[in-house]
Amino acid sequence: MPTRIVSSSGLLLASLLVTCLPSRADWVMSATPGIVRPAPDQLQTQPQNPPSITWARHRTYPAQYVVEIQRKGGTTTSYTVSRNFILLAQPLEAGQYAWRVRPLSTVIDWSDWRGFIIDATSKQFVVPENGNIGTAILAHPRPRQLATSFQPASTWSAAMRADRGGALAKLTTEVNTRMISLAPVSNATFPTLSATAGAAAVSAQYALVSNTMGGVIRQLEAAALMYRLTLDKKYLQEAIARGDQIASLDPEGATSFASQDQVARMMSLVLAKGADLLWNELDAPRRKAWMDMAVLRARPIYNNLAVANGRLDQTPLDSHGIEALGYLSLISVLALGESPEAKVWLDFAVRSYAHLIHVWSGAEGGYSNGTAYAQYTIDMQMQVWQPLAQATGINLFEKPWAAGFASYFMQFTPPGTPSHVFGDVHEGVPDQALMKAFISRQKTPAAAWFVSNTVGEENPITLLQAPYPLPVAAVTTAAPPPNAMLFPSIGWVAMHSSMADRARTSVFFKSSPYGSYNHSHGDQNSIVINSGGRKLLTEAGYQDYFASPQAMSWYRTTKAHNAVTVDGGLGQPVAGTLELLDRKGRITAFRTSPTLDYAEGDALPAYNGLLTTALRKVWYLRGQDMVVVLDTLASATPRIFEWNLHAAAPITFTATNAAKIVNVDRSLCLQSLSTDGTALAKRLSPPSKAGTIEDHAAFVKPTAALKGEFLVVLDVGCKGIKSQLTQTATGRQLTVGTQTIVLP
């Protein structure tokens, strides 16, 4: 818990709040990729009030820090904390603020001041101090993970039966079927591998554990919930049988955290959930056995995360780590009062998790690793956030980042979208029922629009534990989200013809500060175009497994995306680890209007010295459903520049500088307006995924040069709208149908 000192001030220099840029290289800004960046900064308006404040650790790794927060024209408040972040437990008044930090052990080594703004758009989201969280948990009757208003199905109102009766019937069938078909598990199910076992044997064991335990873990929670809903003793006995099986498995064997971290954390959590759901029905020895095993299995999770006083505080870009922190948070909540360790874990994890969940974007929401992996994250969030909210009162669905995360899905996987976009598994089809479940916890007109326009049913386990009615049901008028949106911290832009139209055209543009790290690709300054539920300009390839030879030589590379390469496919580096965070792009401009959207990206660092200029400008002419792309390129040595394009249908050359793509009932015509001999050429690739069609081509410059420009007009629907490029006294202008664009 931070200690706080308040002093009268008002002496904060105005210049600190105006410039907000470091005047020197101060210690909170690490030059090492992957180290947490100081935030908030640069007088940015904060989506959340109070914001999370974070910084890189001091070189001396002090035990405590002093943080000063100063309001312009107001007071300075001083806090002492033991970790390199602070999340205040009370909101701030509207105004301009600055903050700085130093080690407690020195009075001179202050960081630079950094500024931020709290205004009427900053949504209050307060996480109580640890002591208050613990008090709230212990005051909640068991089951802690359920609302106190939770009712057996026999007492449901007619409206609730109409709303949730289908989910209950579905879960009933599932549990009854698995009572017969799901084999019991024991230590014999997973033979111990020898120390000399090869990679194939280890991989097979990993898959066996995952595939086998997933069903048993789900059956324990589902049967326990069915008992709470129906009070039928057969479900109680089924839950007990499955819980006893899980509790009997060797925590050091094939299901250990070291062997299979994802399954091990699920086993720990489900035992804690099962004990909580059936608290008064389990005999004391069995309840203790389950909870003790939950704690025993959670111990290595805590030990892994607690290294260096919380390793994620300093190096947060760890998907498994962040998810494990969420699991540990809920396990500690359910085990509080039953194990002294639970209190230690709660103090370590819960507020930290509330602070850290948005590491793959800024506070405005999004997910830099791509929509497929964002979707996978939802599954964990639904399992953890809902019971965490009931037990603690901390509803992470109300965190401003969660609202932005919901908007991210609406923009990049809207109803009717044919595939994921950007990053690993971009070729996959979105599970919109899962997205619908997450978005239904938002109380906005856009959420209501998405839910009403999306097919698929939520996992009955999460729906039947959710408060009734869902937050989205309180919205009286549904309305589609904006037709264009920028997510600045991840460098993604979405531009749509009309969000209200399921047959919409969608243009996606990416130039990301996260570079090609982790599940991201070397696709900075790339575009994707879909229309009418069909892929037109698409990303190529598929993931056979993470970072496979095929993925590294094709799928993740720049040449497999609608982006620029040189000299036969050379592009942005994708091999490496943390250094890939420096192979990045950024969105440098974005504007939207009813008739025209514009985005600009600078991907120069992504090319790692290959180029000296790498700018892409994208215009979307909404009224005419046309796209214009201008690339400005330069190199220190002469190079042949290439503008790659990929389709999920044949690419037909209609001229040396023009092509047509027809995907069933949707089409796209492309024309290069360059007059320097730029011509289309076919490109070969590794085999496509079975059952799919891909074709590849590129606009290629005729000779090597120090500079190059591509100007390409893309006509969605091949309407034949004419384009004309003319010189003016101050530059150039491009007329596309009825609209004119001024070019550099």
Side-chain angles (χ1 to χ4, degrees):
M1 177 184 300
T3 56
R4 182 177 64 171
I5 300 173
V6 181
S7 63
S8 297
S9 179
L11 301 178
L12 177 61
L13 295 177
S15 62
L16 296 175
L17 288 169
V18 172
T19 62
C20 297
L21 295 173
S23 58
R24 55 183 169 78
D26 64 326
W27 58 266
V28 299
M29 177 67 82
S30 173
T32 303
I35 300 296
V36 67
R37 293 292 186 254
D41 200 358
Q42 299 185 21
L43 263 187
Q44 292 181 342
T45 300
Q46 297 304 295
Q48 178 176 306
N49 179 17
S52 291
I53 298 176
T54 190
W55 58 92
R57 286 173 175 160
H58 191 269
R59 61 187 177 278
T60 62
Y61 276 70
Q64 291 181 302
Y65 295 92
V66 175
V67 183
E68 286 188 351
I69 302 175
Q70 193 172 65
R71 183 169 182 258
K72 185 178 181 181
T75 58
T76 298
T77 307
S78 178
Y79 302 86
T80 301
V81 296
S82 59
R83 295 166 72 174
N84 55 311
F85 76 90
I86 182 170
L87 181 57
L88 301 180
Q90 61 282 324
L92 299 173
E93 296 180 14
Q96 294 184 7
Y97 289 84
W99 68 275
R100 64 177 183 171
V101 61
R102 64 169 170 83
L104 180 63
S105 56
T106 172
V107 296
I108 60 171
D109 208 357
W110 284 105
S111 70
D112 291 325
W113 287 99
R114 286 172 167 80
F116 63 91
I117 294 172
I118 298 293
D119 66 12
T121 66
S122 305
K123 181 181 177 182
Q124 286 193 16
F125 180 76
V126 176
V127 181
E129 299 289 5
N130 286 329
N132 293 332
I133 295 173
T135 299
I137 293 166
L138 294 175
H140 194 298
R142 299 277 187 177
R144 290 174 181 168
Q145 64 195 284
L146 297 180
T148 54
S149 60
F150 181 88
Q151 298 176 341
S154 61
T155 66
W156 288 358
S157 66
M160 190 169 180
R161 285 197 301 273
D163 186 69
R164 303 213 172 158
L168 178 60
K170 184 177 180 180
L171 191 62
T172 300
T173 300
E174 177 188 329
V175 174
N176 288 345
T177 300
R178 287 190 168 184
M179 287 171 66
I180 300 169
S181 64
L182 192 63
V185 293
S186 67
N187 288 314
T189 307
F190 312 108
T192 303
L193 295 178
S194 68
T196 59
V202 172
S203 178
Q205 179 81 310
Y206 192 93
L208 174 65
V209 170
S210 179
N211 295 334
T212 302
M213 290 309 303
V216 181
I217 289 167
R218 180 176 174 86
Q219 182 73 347
L220 168 53
E221 184 175 2
L225 178 59
M226 283 298 299
Y227 175 71
R228 292 255 68 92
L229 287 164
T230 67
L231 304 180
D232 188 329
K233 290 295 180 67
K234 74 177 182 182
Y235 297 121
L236 174 62
Q237 295 308 312
E238 172 68 1
I240 288 173
R242 299 301 178 177
D244 286 348
Q245 291 168 25
I246 295 172
S248 71
L249 295 176
D250 181 4
E252 301 299 325
T255 62
S256 69
F257 182 76
S259 297
Q260 232 283 19
D261 65 314
Q262 292 172 300
V263 167
R265 70 196 188 193
M266 292 168 62
M267 291 171 67
S268 177
L269 178 57
V270 80
L271 285 171
K273 280 186 170 183
D276 180 59
L277 282 168
L278 304 175
W279 194 261
N280 295 320
E281 285 74 23
L282 298 178
D283 58 74
R286 175 174 278 118
R287 188 171 62 209
K288 184 177 187 303
W290 288 15
M291 197 62 82
D292 285 351
M293 184 55 72
V295 170
L296 182 61
R297 285 187 172 276
R299 193 173 295 148
I301 302 176
Y302 170 73
N303 292 339
N304 175 274
L305 297 175
V307 170
N309 194 31
R311 64 178 179 84
L312 295 176
D313 298 350
Q314 181 75 342
T315 53
L317 299 181
D318 178 348
S319 296
H320 282 222
I322 295 297
E323 291 190 1
L325 187 66
Y327 277 88
L328 183 65
S329 297
L330 183 54
I331 293 164
S332 72
V333 164
L334 298 177
L336 188 66
E338 305 306 313
S339 167
E341 289 173 280
K343 177 64 167 63
V344 175
W345 300 345
L346 186 146
D347 291 348
F348 170 81
V350 173
R351 301 189 89 251
S352 175
Y353 181 59
H355 155 69
L356 273 175
I357 56 173
H358 62 270
V359 299
W360 295 110
S361 78
E364 86 278 3
Y367 205 84
S368 64
N369 278 334
T371 61
Y373 276 79
Q375 172 190 293
Y376 303 153
T377 298
I378 291 178
D379 191 32
M380 184 280 295
Q381 291 167 341
M382 297 299 295
Q383 294 177 51
V384 171
W385 289 15
Q386 194 162 269
L388 192 68
Q390 294 304 327
T392 67
I394 303 169
N395 188 348
L396 293 173
F397 293 106
E398 295 180 350
K399 186 178 174 70
W401 179 89
F405 195 44
S407 293
Y408 164 87
F409 285 115
M410 293 185 229
Q411 290 291 329
F412 294 101
T413 55
T417 197
S419 67
H420 283 291
V421 65
F422 301 135
D424 283 345
V425 199
H426 61 63
E427 68 279 8
V429 177
D431 182 351
Q432 292 198 307
L434 194 55
M435 298 171 188
K436 177 181 178 181
F438 183 91
I439 292 171
S440 70
R441 271 63 174 177
Q442 301 295 316
K443 195 185 299 184
T444 66
W449 167 84
F450 186 92
V451 169
S452 64
N453 284 278
T454 302
V455 298
E457 300 302 324
E458 181 178 340
N459 179 349
I461 292 180
T462 56
L463 181 59
L464 291 169
Q465 294 181 76
Y468 173 82
L470 291 174
V472 73
V475 179
T476 56
T477 304
N483 288 329
M485 188 174 287
L486 163 67
F487 290 78
S489 66
I490 63 171
W492 290 29
V493 174
M495 299 173 277
H496 306 277
S497 57
S498 172
M499 287 296 284
D501 182 4
R502 194 177 184 88
R504 75 188 72 79
T505 293
S506 298
V507 181
F508 303 124
F509 178 44
K510 174 187 176 184
S511 196
S512 175
Y514 286 83
S516 51
Y517 179 66
N518 200 253
H519 291 291
S520 295
H521 289 192
D523 56 358
Q524 316 320 317
N525 276 10
S526 70
I527 62 171
V528 171
I529 300 177
N530 300 323
S531 187
R534 308 291 186 191
K535 300 179 184 181
L536 292 178
L537 210 58
T538 186
E539 302 168 278
Y542 67 98
Q543 177 171 271
D544 46 359
Y545 59 90
F546 177 70
S548 71
Q550 180 271 139
M552 299 304 291
S553 64
W554 171 244
Y555 178 64
R556 295 172 65 92
T557 66
T558 311
K559 63 187 177 183
H561 297 81
N562 303 301
V564 168
T565 57
V566 299
D567 299 340
L570 299 178
Q572 303 161 22
V574 295
T577 52
L578 290 171
E579 67 272 19
L580 295 175
L581 289 165
D582 287 334
R583 314 296 183 248
K584 59 189 177 182
R586 65 188 179 101
I587 299 296
T588 52
F590 171 72
R591 295 187 293 275
T592 182
S593 72
T595 58
L596 180 68
D597 296 332
Y598 171 72
E600 176 185 284
D602 184 352
L604 180 60
Y607 287 92
N608 194 31
L610 198 63
L611 300 176
T612 56
T613 301
L615 294 174
R616 171 165 281 187
K617 304 174 189 291
V618 180
W619 292 264
Y620 177 53
L621 289 66
R622 180 169 291 108
Q624 301 183 95
D625 210 9
M626 302 281 287
V627 182
V628 176
V629 180
L630 173 66
D631 285 283
T632 305
L633 309 160
S635 170
T637 57
R639 297 191 181 279
I640 295 178
F641 299 103
E642 304 146 351
W643 199 98
N644 298 278
L645 59 140
H646 308 275
I651 301 172
T652 302
F653 294 178
T654 56
T656 59
N657 65 340
K660 183 175 184 178
I661 299 165
V662 179
N663 189 354
V664 189
D665 55 354
R666 292 285 163 155
S667 62
L668 178 69
C669 287
L670 306 91
Q671 182 180 12
S672 168
L673 298 187
S674 300
T675 57
D676 57 2
T678 297
L680 278 163
K682 282 286 186 178
R683 289 290 194 251
L684 299 177
S685 77
S688 306
K689 188 175 183 179
T692 64
I693 297 173
E694 288 186 349
D695 202 3
H696 319 279
F699 290 108
V700 182
K701 295 298 180 184
T703 58
L706 294 174
K707 294 183 178 181
E709 178 186 275
F710 289 101
L711 179 59
V712 180
V713 177
L714 303 97
D715 180 358
V716 180
C718 296
K719 303 175 294 296
I721 293 176
K722 301 298 182 182
S723 302
Q724 184 176 3
L725 182 64
T726 57
Q727 293 291 137
T728 67
T730 57
R732 298 174 296 172
Q733 69 178 26
L734 174 65
T735 301
V736 181
T738 59
Q739 290 179 275
T740 297
I741 299 169
V742 176
L743 302 179

Short mmCIF file of all heavy atoms in Angstrom, two decimals, residues 508-533:
data_model
loop_
_atom_site.label_atom_id
_atom_site.label_comp_id
_atom_site.label_asym_id
_atom_site.label_seq_id
_atom_site.Cartn_x
_atom_site.Cartn_y
_atom_site.Cartn_z
N PHE A 508 -8.06 -1.83 -43.96
CA PHE A 508 -7.27 -1.85 -42.74
C PHE A 508 -5.83 -1.47 -43.07
O PHE A 508 -5.26 -1.95 -44.06
CB PHE A 508 -7.30 -3.24 -42.09
CG PHE A 508 -8.69 -3.74 -41.78
CD1 PHE A 508 -9.15 -4.94 -42.29
CD2 PHE A 508 -9.55 -2.99 -40.99
CE1 PHE A 508 -10.42 -5.41 -42.00
CE2 PHE A 508 -10.83 -3.44 -40.70
CZ PHE A 508 -11.27 -4.65 -41.21
N PHE A 509 -5.24 -0.65 -42.21
CA PHE A 509 -3.88 -0.15 -42.42
C PHE A 509 -3.13 -0.27 -41.10
O PHE A 509 -3.67 0.05 -40.04
CB PHE A 509 -3.94 1.30 -42.89
CG PHE A 509 -2.60 1.96 -43.10
CD1 PHE A 509 -1.57 1.29 -43.75
CD2 PHE A 509 -2.37 3.25 -42.67
CE1 PHE A 509 -0.34 1.91 -43.96
CE2 PHE A 509 -1.16 3.89 -42.88
CZ PHE A 509 -0.13 3.21 -43.53
N LYS A 510 -1.89 -0.74 -41.18
CA LYS A 510 -1.10 -0.97 -39.97
C LYS A 510 0.30 -0.39 -40.10
O LYS A 510 0.98 -0.62 -41.11
CB LYS A 510 -1.01 -2.47 -39.68
CG LYS A 510 -0.09 -2.82 -38.51
CD LYS A 510 0.09 -4.32 -38.36
CE LYS A 510 1.09 -4.66 -37.27
NZ LYS A 510 1.35 -6.11 -37.17
N SER A 511 0.73 0.31 -39.07
CA SER A 511 2.13 0.73 -38.93
C SER A 511 2.39 0.81 -37.43
O SER A 511 2.14 1.83 -36.80
CB SER A 511 2.37 2.08 -39.62
OG SER A 511 3.75 2.30 -39.81
N SER A 512 2.88 -0.29 -36.87
CA SER A 512 2.79 -0.49 -35.42
C SER A 512 4.09 -0.24 -34.67
O SER A 512 5.15 -0.75 -35.05
CB SER A 512 2.33 -1.92 -35.12
OG SER A 512 2.34 -2.16 -33.73
N PRO A 513 4.01 0.48 -33.54
CA PRO A 513 5.17 0.64 -32.66
C PRO A 513 5.63 -0.66 -32.01
O PRO A 513 6.73 -0.69 -31.43
CB PRO A 513 4.67 1.63 -31.59
CG PRO A 513 3.54 2.36 -32.24
CD PRO A 513 2.89 1.34 -33.13
N TYR A 514 4.83 -1.72 -32.07
CA TYR A 514 5.24 -3.01 -31.53
C TYR A 514 6.06 -3.83 -32.53
O TYR A 514 6.52 -4.93 -32.19
CB TYR A 514 4.02 -3.81 -31.08
CG TYR A 514 3.40 -3.29 -29.80
CD1 TYR A 514 2.51 -2.22 -29.82
CD2 TYR A 514 3.70 -3.86 -28.58
CE1 TYR A 514 1.93 -1.74 -28.65
CE2 TYR A 514 3.14 -3.39 -27.40
CZ TYR A 514 2.25 -2.32 -27.44
OH TYR A 514 1.69 -1.85 -26.28
N GLY A 515 6.24 -3.31 -33.73
CA GLY A 515 7.08 -3.97 -34.71
C GLY A 515 6.63 -5.38 -35.02
O GLY A 515 5.44 -5.70 -35.02
N SER A 516 7.60 -6.25 -35.29
CA SER A 516 7.31 -7.64 -35.64
C SER A 516 7.56 -8.58 -34.46
O SER A 516 7.85 -9.76 -34.64
CB SER A 516 8.16 -8.07 -36.84
OG SER A 516 9.53 -7.78 -36.64
N TYR A 517 7.41 -8.06 -33.25
CA TYR A 517 7.69 -8.84 -32.03
C TYR A 517 6.55 -9.81 -31.72
O TYR A 517 5.38 -9.53 -31.97
CB TYR A 517 7.89 -7.89 -30.85
CG TYR A 517 8.16 -8.57 -29.54
CD1 TYR A 517 9.32 -9.31 -29.34
CD2 TYR A 517 7.25 -8.48 -28.49
CE1 TYR A 517 9.57 -9.94 -28.13
CE2 TYR A 517 7.50 -9.11 -27.28
CZ TYR A 517 8.66 -9.84 -27.11
OH TYR A 517 8.90 -10.47 -25.91
N ASN A 518 6.91 -10.96 -31.15
CA ASN A 518 5.96 -11.93 -30.62
C ASN A 518 5.08 -12.48 -31.75
O ASN A 518 5.59 -13.07 -32.68
CB ASN A 518 5.16 -11.29 -29.48
CG ASN A 518 4.52 -12.31 -28.57
OD1 ASN A 518 3.30 -12.48 -28.61
ND2 ASN A 518 5.28 -12.99 -27.75
N HIS A 519 3.77 -12.27 -31.69
CA HIS A 519 2.89 -12.80 -32.73
C HIS A 519 2.65 -11.79 -33.86
O HIS A 519 1.82 -12.05 -34.74
CB HIS A 519 1.55 -13.22 -32.12
CG HIS A 519 1.66 -14.42 -31.23
ND1 HIS A 519 1.93 -15.67 -31.72
CD2 HIS A 519 1.55 -14.55 -29.88
CE1 HIS A 519 1.98 -16.54 -30.71
NE2 HIS A 519 1.75 -15.89 -29.60
N SER A 520 3.34 -10.67 -33.84
CA SER A 520 3.21 -9.69 -34.91
C SER A 520 4.11 -10.06 -36.09
O SER A 520 5.09 -10.79 -35.93
CB SER A 520 3.57 -8.30 -34.40
OG SER A 520 2.66 -7.86 -33.41
N HIS A 521 3.80 -9.53 -37.25
CA HIS A 521 4.53 -9.84 -38.48
C HIS A 521 5.33 -8.63 -38.96
O HIS A 521 5.16 -7.51 -38.44
CB HIS A 521 3.55 -10.27 -39.57
CG HIS A 521 2.94 -11.61 -39.33
ND1 HIS A 521 2.24 -12.29 -40.30
CD2 HIS A 521 2.94 -12.43 -38.24
CE1 HIS A 521 1.82 -13.45 -39.82
NE2 HIS A 521 2.22 -13.55 -38.57
N GLY A 522 6.15 -8.86 -39.98
CA GLY A 522 6.88 -7.77 -40.62
C GLY A 522 6.01 -7.06 -41.63
O GLY A 522 6.34 -7.00 -42.82
N ASP A 523 4.89 -6.51 -41.15
CA ASP A 523 3.86 -5.97 -42.04
C ASP A 523 3.56 -4.49 -41.78
O ASP A 523 2.45 -4.03 -42.03
CB ASP A 523 2.57 -6.78 -41.89
CG ASP A 523 2.07 -6.84 -40.44
OD1 ASP A 523 2.74 -6.29 -39.55
OD2 ASP A 523 1.01 -7.45 -40.20
N GLN A 524 4.58 -3.75 -41.32
CA GLN A 524 4.34 -2.32 -41.11
C GLN A 524 4.11 -1.63 -42.45
O GLN A 524 4.78 -1.92 -43.44
CB GLN A 524 5.52 -1.68 -40.37
CG GLN A 524 6.06 -2.48 -39.18
CD GLN A 524 4.99 -3.14 -38.33
OE1 GLN A 524 3.96 -2.54 -38.02
NE2 GLN A 524 5.23 -4.38 -37.94
N ASN A 525 3.16 -0.72 -42.46
CA ASN A 525 2.70 -0.01 -43.67
C ASN A 525 2.02 -0.95 -44.66
O ASN A 525 2.07 -0.73 -45.88
CB ASN A 525 3.84 0.74 -44.36
CG ASN A 525 4.09 2.11 -43.75
OD1 ASN A 525 3.55 2.44 -42.71
ND2 ASN A 525 4.94 2.91 -44.40
N SER A 526 1.36 -1.97 -44.16
CA SER A 526 0.61 -2.87 -45.04
C SER A 526 -0.88 -2.56 -44.96
O SER A 526 -1.35 -1.94 -44.00
CB SER A 526 0.85 -4.33 -44.67
OG SER A 526 0.25 -4.65 -43.42
N ILE A 527 -1.61 -3.00 -45.98
CA ILE A 527 -3.06 -2.81 -46.02
C ILE A 527 -3.75 -4.13 -46.29
O ILE A 527 -3.16 -5.08 -46.81
CB ILE A 527 -3.49 -1.77 -47.08
CG1 ILE A 527 -3.09 -2.24 -48.49
CG2 ILE A 527 -2.92 -0.40 -46.77
CD1 ILE A 527 -3.67 -1.37 -49.61
N VAL A 528 -5.03 -4.19 -45.92
CA VAL A 528 -5.92 -5.31 -46.19
C VAL A 528 -7.25 -4.73 -46.62
O VAL A 528 -7.71 -3.73 -46.04
CB VAL A 528 -6.10 -6.21 -44.95
CG1 VAL A 528 -7.19 -7.25 -45.19
CG2 VAL A 528 -4.79 -6.89 -44.57
N ILE A 529 -7.88 -5.33 -47.63
CA ILE A 529 -9.19 -4.86 -48.08
C ILE A 529 -10.14 -6.05 -48.17
O ILE A 529 -9.84 -7.05 -48.84
CB ILE A 529 -9.10 -4.15 -49.45
CG1 ILE A 529 -8.18 -2.93 -49.37
CG2 ILE A 529 -10.50 -3.73 -49.92
CD1 ILE A 529 -7.98 -2.23 -50.70
N ASN A 530 -11.28 -5.93 -47.51
CA ASN A 530 -12.39 -6.88 -47.63
C ASN A 530 -13.61 -6.14 -48.12
O ASN A 530 -13.76 -4.94 -47.89
CB ASN A 530 -12.72 -7.52 -46.28
CG ASN A 530 -11.55 -8.27 -45.66
OD1 ASN A 530 -10.79 -8.90 -46.37
ND2 ASN A 530 -11.43 -8.21 -44.35
N SER A 531 -14.52 -6.86 -48.77
CA SER A 531 -15.78 -6.25 -49.18
C SER A 531 -16.85 -7.32 -49.31
O SER A 531 -16.60 -8.40 -49.87
CB SER A 531 -15.63 -5.51 -50.52
OG SER A 531 -16.81 -4.78 -50.83
N GLY A 532 -18.02 -7.04 -48.76
CA GLY A 532 -19.13 -7.97 -48.86
C GLY A 532 -18.84 -9.33 -48.27
O GLY A 532 -19.35 -10.34 -48.73
N GLY A 533 -18.01 -9.37 -47.24
CA GLY A 533 -17.66 -10.63 -46.62
C GLY A 533 -16.65 -11.44 -47.41
O GLY A 533 -16.41 -12.62 -47.10
#
